[in-house]
Amino acid sequence: MKPKAIFNWSSGKDSALALYKILHEDQFEITSLLTSINKEFQRISMHGVPVPLLQKQAESLGFPLIKMELPKEPSMEEYRKIMSKTMNEIKSHGVTHSIFGDIFLEDLRQYREDQLQTIGMKAVFPLWKQNTTDLIREFLDLGFKTIITCVNETYLDKSFAGRIVDENFINDLPKNVDPCGENGEFHTFTFDGPIFKTPIDFEIGETVKKTYPKPKSNENDEEGEYVFWFCDLILKT
């Protein structure tokens, strides 16, 4: 009997490729997808994708969806409490593993492993330490299709929001930008590919600028803000 696992689904390309690899290897029984949602706006945290599009993804992928709703700007303590409650509920159904699409952020992996260890679960990282240029090309070669939903203006300008990821997109990326956006340079919404029963039908809406305060590590740090551009996606009905 295969161990049961929850899959942490962001709606983007890394999640899609990681899920593809997990299903291909057939070592786990995926019980459901888990996605963090901004409760106030009913959108996927950071990716900005509306919940109706997320639900269409889950339907096309053929998995139940668990939405973990978070406050607009949760503190780390609030986040930990909500995550702990959610994961303990998931564990009560016999789930022993939690799968992520992270590639090389060591501190994030350590955090995930530490939090899961406290409740007796294990983390799985099917894309870990793989070359990101190879991964994005593999993603495209497999027939996946994804669109940029959010860009961090520190790395990319507004024009990249709403673009389809293809060879031209990869070639246009500045040298300091990871081709998978692993440092938070951009986020995506994957709408078609080999693990989808049917493509997700959507329209592109307006691109909106949003700012977030930069965290201060000490009182001497200057105040500042991060600027992000979000391309709105609208489910076709």
Side-chain angles (χ1 to χ4, degrees):
M1 183 181 295
K2 293 180 289 189
K4 292 183 178 182
I6 188 84
F7 191 94
N8 294 269
W9 179 257
S10 71
S11 82
K13 57 180 176 33
D14 297 342
S15 278
L17 185 56
L19 181 57
Y20 171 86
K21 289 179 179 289
I22 284 292
L23 294 175
H24 182 72
E25 292 167 1
D26 197 28
Q27 295 178 357
F28 295 95
E29 176 191 342
I30 306 299
T31 61
S32 52
L33 308 178
L34 173 64
T35 306
S36 297
I37 302 295
N38 182 307
K39 186 176 182 179
E40 180 179 344
F41 298 111
Q42 286 298 295
R43 290 175 180 266
I44 299 174
S45 302
M46 282 314 300
H47 288 238
V49 174
V51 165
L53 281 169
L54 168 65
Q55 292 171 326
K56 283 294 182 183
Q57 277 186 324
E59 290 172 15
S60 184
L61 292 168
F63 293 106
L65 174 66
I66 298 173
K67 295 177 290 183
M68 187 178 74
E69 294 190 329
L70 298 170
K72 183 179 178 181
E73 295 180 8
S75 65
M76 283 303 296
E77 185 58 30
E78 286 177 311
Y79 177 82
R80 278 194 291 266
K81 284 182 178 179
I82 295 171
M83 175 60 81
S84 178
K85 181 180 178 181
T86 302
M87 295 308 296
N88 273 298
E89 172 63 23
I90 289 169
K91 184 189 175 187
S92 72
H93 295 284
V95 177
T96 56
H97 292 72
S98 186
I99 304 171
F100 302 90
D102 303 312
I103 304 172
F104 59 66
L105 299 180
E106 297 279 0
D107 55 344
L108 183 56
R109 173 172 178 153
Q110 189 65 55
Y111 175 80
R112 298 198 195 285
E113 290 178 331
D114 290 346
Q115 295 303 305
L116 287 169
Q117 188 177 27
T118 63
I119 61 169
M121 291 181 66
K122 294 182 179 179
V124 179
F125 301 88
L127 305 183
W128 191 249
K129 291 297 186 182
Q130 295 186 40
N131 182 282
T132 49
T133 298
D134 293 341
L135 284 176
I136 193 62
R137 296 196 184 282
E138 179 183 7
F139 177 85
L140 295 176
D141 289 345
L142 286 168
F144 281 106
K145 296 179 181 178
T146 199
I147 185 171
I148 304 296
T149 60
C150 167
V151 297
N152 183 337
E153 194 177 69
T154 304
Y155 302 97
L156 296 170
D157 63 47
K158 176 183 177 182
S159 68
F160 281 87
R163 286 186 60 174
I164 299 295
V165 175
D166 54 16
E167 283 293 332
N168 289 333
F169 173 84
I170 296 171
N171 292 336
D172 288 344
L173 289 176
K175 291 183 178 180
N176 66 324
V177 173
D178 182 79
C180 283
E182 181 67 355
N183 297 303
E185 299 98 328
F186 60 88
H187 298 291
T188 58
F189 174 77
T190 301
F191 56 90
D192 198 8
I195 57 177
F196 291 89
K197 296 185 181 75
T198 56
I200 313 302
D201 206 7
F202 65 91
E203 296 176 343
I204 297 177
E206 63 179 332
T207 298
V208 178
K209 179 182 179 181
K210 292 189 177 182
T211 59
Y212 302 89
K214 289 184 178 180
K216 297 172 68 174
S217 57
N218 60 65
E219 61 182 18
N220 295 322
D221 286 348
E222 292 185 7
E223 291 187 359
E225 61 183 17
Y226 292 113
V227 176
F228 289 85
W229 292 96
F230 288 87
C231 174
D232 194 21
L233 303 181
I234 305 161
L235 178 66
K236 281 189 178 180
T237 57

